[in-house]
Amino acid sequence: GNYYAIAQQIESHAKRKKAHIKNVSTKGSLDNIQKLLSKEMKKKHEKAFAFVQNGMKKKSYKDLSLIAHLPISETVFFLSKKSLQSASLKVLRGKRIGIGPSGSGIDMLARQIFNLRGIKDIPLKLTNHSFADQLNLLITNKLDIAMFVIANDATFIDQAINKYKLKLLSFDILKAVAKRLPFLAIKKINKGYYNPLLNIPSEEISVLTVDTLIINNGTAKRSDIIGLLSTLSELYPNFINHNKNKMNYSGYNLSKDAQDFFDNQGPGIFDRYVPWVANYVPLGNLVQLIMAISILFNAMNFLNRFRLWRVDAIRMKLENSLYETFGPDIQLDEIDKFRNIEQYQSEEYINILEEIIHDFTLLKNRSRKYSVSMLVPMGQEMGYRYQESLIQKRLFLLYNFKDKLTS
């Protein structure tokens, strides 16, 4: 059918892009929904999408989500062997009307239309048949009217009109029906569209149209959804704008991943280059994660500068304490060569020197601990290594100076 032909186009296009989409033959919208909701498919976690006719939402379908509206609608045809004398619904009184297979999308749509207030009071008989059977029943006068939901240019409709001489019917209340059932729309079929030579239809007529939806059962990952939508946007140039401007009357909640795709006018940077990341981290969380990492690195940089400043400040304080103890004329880089040491050989000065050596040792260990910390940004550990070298040099000279004082 029409759905299979569309899926075949998508599969072929995906194959050219070296992507994999498998087209599976089904019996229509209801069969698609039942397959998506089947325990077997959920158990296998198959990444499945399906085409369904708009307006088929039920409470039991709560696990399904909307992926997109196809920019291709199907037409709701009312065919009859005889032309009706009036466009009023009154002509349907007592008529036998075929509404497609039981439980199908067309069956559900027909019952929604014929159960509308004011229409449900018309006495008529609705019966279920396959498309082929409905056609035969019309031709043999066993049905008065048959309802079909099918592509505008389908061969089936062309043959029904031109080969079997069936008539296209239109009613004056179709706009009201579309108002009451907002997932439906109205369009015009031009005069002579199906046979310009015989002028069929003989005048411009109004018909109902219904959208085709793509739905999912929640098993598809973000990258699968974005990949399918990208393929569709390449096949149908107006696909993204069509969905951005389309009101969702389907009853299904639009997938968050699909919403992101339409809002971004296509796949985002993460979906395009690292789709596996987007599969496990929602896009909103991913942005927050990047911001958090940025804040963390800034905090680490600030902490590192603060620590380095403290190490340098303590080192300078210890060096100043040496000047205060042994006088301003002392040369720290040559303290072990200091000659006038007799006045500093008392126990008091030796204890002060040992305390300064101890503090320098603690500071060196502290600097080493900071330099190997995971919180130090890459490359900035060299500042601590420089401080360590200065402290190590001071310790070497101070130990030599202490040996002189105690000898």
Side-chain angles (χ1 to χ4, degrees):
N2 188 42
Y3 290 171
Y4 189 87
I6 295 171
Q8 198 66 42
Q9 275 187 310
I10 297 171
E11 181 181 3
S12 300
H13 186 79
K15 193 176 291 184
R16 288 195 293 271
K17 296 287 184 178
K18 297 184 178 179
H20 178 69
I21 294 175
K22 184 180 179 182
N23 187 10
V24 178
S25 179
T26 65
K27 297 176 183 178
S29 294
L30 184 64
D31 188 33
N32 289 346
I33 291 172
Q34 289 173 342
K35 279 181 165 57
L36 285 182
L37 293 174
S38 67
K39 292 181 180 179
E40 181 182 358
M41 183 163 287
K42 289 186 176 181
K43 188 176 180 180
K44 291 180 180 178
H45 297 286
E46 291 188 9
K47 303 162 187 176
F49 301 90
F51 295 132
V52 297
Q53 180 181 295
N54 203 350
M56 292 191 66
K57 179 70 171 74
K58 290 184 178 180
K59 289 182 179 178
S60 57
Y61 301 165
K62 62 181 183 300
D63 292 337
L64 302 178
S65 60
L66 175 65
I67 303 301
H69 290 76
L70 276 185
I72 301 173
S73 59
E74 292 188 302
T75 303
V76 182
F77 289 100
F78 293 91
L79 298 182
S80 175
K81 193 171 183 181
K82 299 176 182 179
S83 297
L84 298 181
Q85 296 177 349
S86 169
S88 170
L89 284 183
K90 291 179 181 179
V91 298
L92 297 180
R93 188 181 298 273
K95 293 292 190 291
R96 300 161 298 175
I97 302 176
I99 56 172
S102 178
S104 64
I106 183 174
D107 177 33
M108 187 176 291
L109 175 60
R111 295 186 188 280
Q112 286 175 294
I113 292 173
F114 289 113
N115 278 325
L116 289 174
R117 187 177 67 249
I119 301 179
K120 65 181 179 181
D121 298 327
I122 300 173
L124 45 80
K125 185 179 180 182
L126 302 178
T127 56
N128 295 111
H129 314 277
S130 69
F131 272 23
D133 287 344
Q134 281 191 172
L135 188 62
N136 289 329
L137 290 170
L138 269 180
I139 295 169
T140 57
N141 291 316
K142 293 179 181 178
L143 276 179
D144 299 306
I145 297 171
M147 187 173 170
F148 300 93
V149 176
I150 198 168
N152 209 40
D153 296 319
T155 303
F156 179 89
I157 288 295
D158 185 70
Q159 288 184 345
I161 294 171
N162 288 299
K163 182 177 179 180
Y164 299 109
K165 311 303 180 185
L166 298 179
K167 313 299 181 186
L168 284 170
L169 305 183
S170 183
F171 301 99
D172 55 8
I173 50 81
L174 293 184
K175 286 185 179 179
V177 171
K179 192 75 173 177
R180 299 284 295 281
L181 300 174
F183 58 86
L184 295 174
I186 293 285
K187 81 169 184 179
K188 302 284 187 180
I189 294 181
N190 295 331
K191 179 181 178 180
Y193 182 81
Y194 287 106
N195 193 321
L197 194 62
L198 298 178
N199 201 26
I200 302 174
S202 58
E203 60 182 3
E204 185 179 73
I205 65 170
S206 296
V207 292
L208 293 170
T209 62
V210 60
D211 283 342
T212 299
L213 309 177
I214 302 175
I215 60 173
N216 174 252
N217 59 358
T219 55
K221 294 180 180 178
R222 181 184 176 91
S223 58
D224 302 317
I225 294 172
I226 300 299
L228 175 61
L229 294 176
S230 297
T231 301
L232 289 167
S233 66
E234 292 171 3
L235 274 175
Y236 306 109
N238 196 40
F239 175 73
I240 293 176
N241 288 332
H242 176 78
N243 279 273
K244 282 192 73 172
N245 300 326
K246 193 78 174 177
M247 293 294 292
N248 182 12
Y249 294 114
S250 68
Y252 301 105
N253 292 324
L254 181 62
S255 160
K256 178 65 170 61
D257 299 324
Q259 183 69 66
D260 289 341
F261 180 89
F262 298 131
D263 289 344
N264 294 329
Q265 295 284 318
I269 187 169
F270 293 107
D271 296 311
R272 191 182 298 275
Y273 297 108
V274 282
W276 56 271
V277 173
N279 281 341
Y280 300 102
V281 184
L283 186 60
N285 293 355
L286 195 59
V287 173
Q288 292 176 1
L289 179 62
I290 292 172
M291 290 181 64
I293 292 173
S294 177
I295 292 171
L296 175 62
F297 275 105
N298 285 331
M300 287 168 58
N301 191 47
F302 174 79
L303 178 63
N304 174 63
R305 289 177 180 275
F306 176 78
R307 283 177 165 181
L308 196 56
W309 168 72
R310 289 300 302 149
V311 169
D312 187 63
I314 294 171
R315 181 182 62 79
M316 292 295 295
K317 183 179 178 182
L318 291 174
E319 289 179 353
N320 287 336
S321 66
L322 286 171
Y323 286 120
E324 292 171 359
T325 303
F326 298 105
D329 297 331
I330 192 171
Q331 297 294 322
L332 294 182
D333 290 338
E334 299 179 355
I335 192 172
D336 58 335
K337 299 177 183 178
F338 193 48
R339 296 181 181 278
N340 302 320
I341 63 172
E342 291 79 7
Q343 58 180 319
Y344 303 117
Q345 288 182 314
S346 66
E347 186 176 347
E348 177 186 358
Y349 282 107
I350 291 174
N351 288 339
I352 292 174
L353 183 59
E354 286 179 344
E355 186 176 340
I356 293 173
I357 290 173
H358 177 262
D359 289 343
F360 264 119
T361 303
L362 291 178
L363 186 61
K364 185 191 76 167
N365 294 337
R366 183 177 177 181
S367 183
R368 170 52 63 94
K369 180 182 177 181
Y370 288 162
S371 70
V372 297
S373 171
M374 290 291 292
L375 296 178
V376 177
M378 188 180 297
Q380 294 193 23
E381 71 279 1
M382 298 307 296
Y384 295 108
R385 302 279 167 79
Y386 175 69
Q387 290 293 332
E388 282 182 56
S389 67
L390 294 178
I391 296 168
Q392 187 63 44
K393 184 177 180 180
R394 294 286 181 267
L395 284 171
F396 177 77
L397 297 174
L398 290 174
Y399 274 119
N400 288 342
F401 185 51
K402 177 189 171 186
D403 289 342
K404 278 192 174 186
L405 293 181
T406 56
S407 63

